[in-house]
Amino acid sequence: MKKCILFTVLMILCLIFNISCSKGKGELDLEEGMYSITYRTEIPGMPMPMPPITLNQCITQKNPVPEQSSGSDECTITRMNTSSDTVTWTMECKQRGSYLKATGTMTFQGDKLEGKTQMEMETKSGRDTVTTYMEGKRTGPCS
């Protein structure tokens, strides 16, 4: 009887708060496919803001983190967690005497995504911090 009441309460809460109770454990509220993602980067001390860049990338449940590095970087995602509609990650890159550590968060809402990464770069000339904001919309299936 207690289990039945608990189940009923849980289902009511799901309906009230519009929680998807049918999603698999650890799955994001993500419609897999090709996304057009606009990146807006802020670098402290820059005299002019960098222009936004829009790229197309395939986003899936297995690979929900948009690629932000060039193919020549030696980058590794060292931590990735998913919870409800959000994925968080930590990435480390090494390239030509530089070290970069990025932490990011991305929130999915079906066919839309929004996120932010905070990158700390250690170079021969010192340490810099770069923040990148991302917004995207699904444009179709992955090719």
Side-chain angles (χ1 to χ4, degrees), residues 102-133:
T103 56
T105 183
M106 181 74 66
T107 301
F108 297 92
Q109 294 179 332
D111 66 348
K112 297 177 185 156
L113 59 81
E114 189 173 290
K116 171 181 159 180
T117 59
Q118 190 82 30
M119 294 177 260
E120 291 184 10
M121 296 181 285
E122 292 180 21
T123 63
K124 294 174 184 171
S125 60
R127 174 179 270 174
D128 293 316
T129 302
V130 176
T131 304
T132 301
Y133 298 92

Side-chain angles (χ1 to χ4, degrees), residues 1 29 39 56 77 122:
M1 180 69 178
D29 180 17
Y39 297 87
N56 293 316
I77 294 179
E122 292 180 21

Side-chain angles (χ1 to χ4, degrees), residues 31-32 43 63 66-67 102 110 119 123 140:
E31 189 176 336
E32 295 184 340
I43 303 173
N63 296 307
E67 294 179 19
M119 294 177 260
T123 63

